[in-house]
Amino acid sequence: MARPYCVVVALLLLAGVSRLGEGASNPGFVARITREGLEYARQYGKAALEKELSTINLPDLSGSFHAGLIGSVSYEFRSLRIRDFQLRNFNLSLRPEQGIMASLSDNYMSVSGNWMVKKAFITLHGSFDLSADGVSISVSVKLGKDQSGRPTASVTHCSNSVGHFSIDISGSLSWLLNLFHESIENNFKSISEQKICEMVVELTTSHLKPYLRTLPVTLKIDQVAFVDYRLVGAPQVTSQGMDVPFKGKFFGLSRHDRVSFDIPPIRMPQEHDLMIYFAVSEYVFNTASWVYHQAGHMNFTIRNEHIQNLMRFVGNPSAKAWRKPSCLTSKDIPFTTMISCFSSSFLLRLLQRPLDSPVHLHTTSLGAVIPQLPRLYPNMELELEVSPESAPFLTFTPGNVTLVPVINIQAFALLPDSSDRKLLFQLRAGTNISATISVSSNRIWGSLTPGSKLKLELIQSNINFFNVQLMESVLNYYATYLIYPSLNAKLAEGFPLPLPRNTFLNDLQLQIHKNFLLVGANME
């Protein structure tokens, strides 16, 4: 009976768990198990239970009867094995504040084994077949959590009954035992009714509790981040299903670091068509952003070799004549629009140079944008350090996921014959970014696309004034082909959903609501 219990608990997670002290905290992650999910557990559990019960060895039974002139005779039934167990009625239900109720009623069981009779120094033996009809078992399992936030389980109630026993005994002097089959059958019934619940408690202790410890509480993402999936409150049970709240927080190696923002409330819509739903708060993604920002994993250093790799990827081996862009052929356009258009066109012309004349991250190459640069620092390579001013946070609105990062960009000249470098200028860049979030059978991942171009602001310059708008075009190109692909490669790794092992999702649906992402799925 261990596997069906595990399936039930894996789907229901913490039905009827006792009130938890952290219940006042908003969850970052909510799992909803619907009635369809409960029906899936029932169907799977029924098939698994029938298979599992057929492999169980029952404990030996013993007793005695009075055989007239012979007197009292002792008997034993050994090597009892269930040959067949037919589950005619198997139901699972949720009881608010109580737990999971599993009911098996009006079922059939057949058992085979060996018998032995002793009277003084005489021993007789043979085999038997037993059938039991109207077998009913009712079990209530209450789930809670330990101090680490892991679920626990205990049997709070168990009752069972057997409607009718029938036994067929064969072997030497089996006719003698058959004379007293009614007494033996009653003894079987009494002992079986006692042993069934003992077995249920034992299986809960030996199988269910260890399985619950395999449910994810903390998951490692990489060498930087972990996800906290502890429970933060009691499930809310309704007639349609159950919502289970989890912490849903990323944390780094120093688990005690506290983020400075709150968890927004999750108001889940009344969705119950699929087996299971996951509501993932923007808080989950933003704690991930905070952790990686704190660890310095959002900082980029762009060097000359990166530019060369970029040019090999996007370079055009045949030089094309530069044509006057259409935006410059219009009359009466604003001066700022003209500058922006010219800057973009100039950059395009620059990047369409033949491969034998590549663009370098070099004071000479950048002299086309900052003329005084090669005079002040002749023939020197450059480095660009790019870092967010603070951890960029996602904002969820119906149908959209956006973020508005503010980025610091510092340019350095690498001094020749020295490990030193000279700060040339510092820029602040702002932009709007759209995020696309996807889900697979067991993970959530994302990708970023620019919603607007980088807008630059000159914060500091050690090389006097230069054309910031022209620099915008250069950095927007770098962002498109270098920074965004690097970020998306990391985001593509995603993070896992808190699913039991060997559980996968299909028929996936994804909706974006205010403050959270809703993923619906069926299970397999």
Side-chain angles (χ1 to χ4, degrees), residues 301-316 351 355 358-361 477-478 481-483 485-486:
T301 299
I302 303 176
R303 298 185 176 90
N304 187 54
E305 59 264 28
H306 299 149
I307 303 302
Q308 300 313 302
N309 292 334
L310 171 64
M311 294 305 300
R312 282 192 291 269
F313 179 72
V314 301
N316 186 354
L351 293 174
L355 288 180
V359 175
H360 294 273
L361 191 57
Y477 193 87
Y478 290 163
Y481 290 99
L482 186 63
I483 296 176
S486 299

Side-chain angles (χ1 to χ4, degrees), residues 112-346:
S112 62
N114 300 318
W115 62 267
M116 181 174 63
V117 168
K118 290 183 178 180
K119 177 61 179 177
F121 56 87
I122 300 174
T123 301
L124 304 174
H125 58 84
S127 62
F128 74 94
D129 292 298
L130 177 147
S131 62
D133 211 352
V135 179
S136 297
I137 307 172
S138 178
V139 181
S140 293
V141 179
K142 187 173 184 178
L143 304 175
K145 81 174 187 74
D146 59 21
Q147 293 182 349
S148 68
R150 293 185 178 276
T152 60
S154 60
V155 176
T156 58
H157 171 77
C158 179
S159 63
N160 66 90
S161 62
V162 180
H164 176 70
F165 262 110
S166 177
I167 187 167
D168 182 20
I169 301 173
S170 61
S172 303
L173 296 181
S174 60
W175 58 271
L176 180 61
L177 288 177
N178 279 320
L179 290 176
F180 303 95
H181 69 87
E182 183 175 349
S183 174
I184 295 172
E185 289 167 0
N186 289 335
N187 195 12
F188 254 113
K189 180 178 179 180
S190 176
I191 295 176
S192 296
E193 290 177 346
Q194 174 188 351
K195 293 293 184 181
I196 287 175
C197 281
E198 290 181 3
M199 291 172 59
V200 168
V201 174
E202 171 60 26
L203 287 169
T204 300
T205 302
S206 61
H207 293 279
L208 179 56
K209 289 183 178 179
Y211 182 84
L212 286 174
R213 287 195 289 269
T214 70
L215 295 176
V217 173
T218 298
L219 295 178
K220 182 178 181 180
I221 303 301
D222 51 27
Q223 297 302 318
V224 175
F226 303 78
V227 182
D228 186 345
Y229 276 136
R230 289 179 298 163
L231 298 164
V232 296
Q236 299 178 1
V237 180
T238 69
S239 59
Q240 296 296 322
M242 175 191 62
D243 292 345
V244 186
F246 298 87
K247 184 78 171 177
K249 176 187 176 182
F250 276 72
F251 62 93
L253 294 176
S254 178
R255 183 168 182 152
H256 300 292
D257 291 343
R258 293 185 177 274
V259 296
S260 59
F261 49 93
D262 297 327
I263 308 174
I266 294 177
R267 295 181 175 88
M268 293 185 67
Q270 295 303 310
E271 299 280 351
H272 299 95
D273 294 337
L274 300 174
M275 294 180 184
I276 190 166
Y277 290 87
F278 296 102
V280 188
S281 171
E282 61 186 36
Y283 171 85
V284 178
F285 298 95
N286 291 339
T287 56
S289 177
W290 187 84
V291 167
Y292 284 103
H293 178 263
Q294 290 292 107
H297 279 243
M298 290 187 174
N299 301 336
F300 295 87
T301 299
I302 303 176
R303 298 185 176 90
N304 187 54
E305 59 264 28
H306 299 149
I307 303 302
Q308 300 313 302
N309 292 334
L310 171 64
M311 294 305 300
R312 282 192 291 269
F313 179 72
V314 301
N316 186 354
S318 60
K320 296 181 180 179
W322 181 65
R323 297 181 179 179
K324 189 176 184 180
S326 59
C327 58
L328 294 180
T329 62
S330 303
K331 296 181 179 179
D332 301 325
I333 63 173
F335 176 74
T336 55
T337 303
M338 182 182 296
I339 292 296
S340 177
C341 176
F342 177 80
S343 300
S344 300
S345 303
F346 181 83

